[in-house]
Amino acid sequence: MDVHDLGEGEPEIAVVGAIHGDEPCGARAVRRLVDADLDVERPVRLIVANDAALDAEVRYLDADLNRSFPGDPDAEAHEERLADELLGALDGCSTLAIHSTQSYAEPFAVVDSMDEVARAVAPHLPVDAVIQTDAFTEGRLIEHPHTLEVEAGLQGSDGAADNAYWLARAFLAATGVTPAPGAESVVDAGGREDVEVFRLRDRIPKPDAEVYEVFAHNFERVEAGEAFAAAGDEQLRADEPFYPVLLSPYGYRDQFGYVADRVGTIE
């Protein structure tokens, strides 16, 4: 784990990249922040989490870090030990964790629940949607208080790396660490007028097949009876209307993505 503290005093704000080693955008954003020589109003901790997996260009060495929290300092698995170490480094911090996907190019945010930090910060991030995961957070960092995840874009792309940096800059501005880019004082990051909120309802399992396709688009309503994906020659049709989230043919081994409901907006 690679940790950089900026400013004086114990940080209460943190940005974390490379929880997954095959998602380099967060690490690139953290290193860009370190190199930017930021003038910080509050101390901040910048972390490249699973640098060993990042160097090996694999998602993880022994176990998925984002399914290993709270971790175990005496575990055999590298990521279970790392989860415990990372939580210790984030103790007392409001945290932004940066990820990327194989399913969607535009940034969106993910939270366990709409707590005060999510409500205060999410509208100031350059995202169009917030996903509330509720029952689908076991072992993930966002189970822990005052933590937001952002999906910065397509895995491995330069676009995701650039998005990750500006998401982090917006988060730092929204939490009073730095002025917004181009501003002379600490102000909000000037996010969207309102941000749509979706709540995950269920997983979409994948039948066994050699080839998979998706027809629906993430965050766009699928109507009852509409074909939204295919496993080989079998088309999957919606039993009832839903909004697909993280829907992709090969992003997950055993599921297409998630069924979600649109539950409102935050302003």
Side-chain angles (χ1 to χ4, degrees), residues 129-160:
V130 175
I131 310 305
Q132 188 173 333
T133 56
D134 288 337
F136 300 95
T137 58
E138 184 175 359
R140 293 173 62 166
L141 182 57
I142 55 171
E143 269 194 306
H144 300 276
H146 303 165
T147 301
L148 292 84
E149 286 184 0
V150 287
E151 299 286 353
L154 294 176
Q155 186 174 315
S157 68
D158 289 339

Side-chain angles (χ1 to χ4, degrees), residues 34-49:
V34 172
D35 291 342
D37 192 26
L38 298 174
D39 183 16
V40 298
E41 300 284 336
R42 302 174 64 185
V44 60
R45 179 160 290 163
L46 307 174
I47 300 176
V48 177

Side-chain angles (χ1 to χ4, degrees), residues 230-245:
D233 295 330
E234 178 188 355
Q235 287 194 344
L236 281 68
R237 296 183 178 274
D239 294 329
E240 56 184 331
F242 74 96
Y243 290 87
V245 171

Side-chain angles (χ1 to χ4, degrees), residues 19-252:
I19 285 178
H20 291 131
D22 61 352
E23 298 176 10
C25 63
R28 290 173 65 180
V30 165
R31 290 164 182 161
R32 189 172 169 186
L33 290 170
V34 172
D35 291 342
D37 192 26
L38 298 174
D39 183 16
V40 298
E41 300 284 336
R42 302 174 64 185
V44 60
R45 179 160 290 163
L46 307 174
I47 300 176
V48 177
N50 201 346
D51 50 350
L54 185 70
D55 290 344
E57 299 182 344
V58 295
R59 189 167 183 80
Y60 52 81
L61 300 185
D62 300 316
D64 188 333
L65 177 56
N66 211 28
R67 299 297 184 273
S68 298
F69 294 100
D72 179 351
D74 300 317
E76 291 186 7
H78 164 72
E79 281 78 10
E80 291 180 15
R81 298 192 305 273
L82 181 58
D84 174 78
E85 183 182 358
L86 180 56
L87 277 189
L90 296 175
D91 186 36
C93 289
S94 295
T95 300
L96 181 75
I98 301 173
H99 292 267
S100 55
T101 79
Q102 295 185 33
S103 61
Y104 196 66
E106 299 303 317
F108 61 92
V110 183
V111 298
D112 179 26
S113 60
M114 292 303 298
D115 64 13
E116 64 272 19
V117 171
R119 289 186 180 278
V121 172
H124 303 298
L125 300 180
V127 299
D128 289 321
V130 175
I131 310 305
Q132 188 173 333
T133 56
D134 288 337
F136 300 95
T137 58
E138 184 175 359
R140 293 173 62 166
L141 182 57
I142 55 171
E143 269 194 306
H144 300 276
H146 303 165
T147 301
L148 292 84
E149 286 184 0
V150 287
E151 299 286 353
L154 294 176
Q155 186 174 315
S157 68
D158 289 339
D162 197 48
N163 289 342
Y165 175 75
W166 292 111
L167 285 160
R169 287 295 305 268
F171 175 75
L172 295 181
T175 52
V177 174
T178 64
E184 295 181 357
S185 61
V186 176
V187 295
D188 71 51
R192 305 297 196 260
E193 291 184 3
D194 54 66
V195 179
E196 290 187 301
V197 180
F198 298 84
R199 178 179 290 126
L200 299 188
R201 178 170 18 117
D202 207 352
R203 294 182 173 90
I204 305 173
K206 286 166 101 172
D208 288 336
E210 294 293 326
V211 178
Y212 298 99
E213 296 179 84
V214 297
F215 312 129
H217 299 283
N218 284 289
F219 306 114
E220 295 184 12
R221 181 181 166 101
V222 174
E223 301 296 342
E226 183 180 345
F228 61 86
D233 295 330
E234 178 188 355
Q235 287 194 344
L236 281 68
R237 296 183 178 274
D239 294 329
E240 56 184 331
F242 74 96
Y243 290 87
V245 171
L246 291 169
L247 187 71
S248 68
Y250 300 106
Y252 297 98

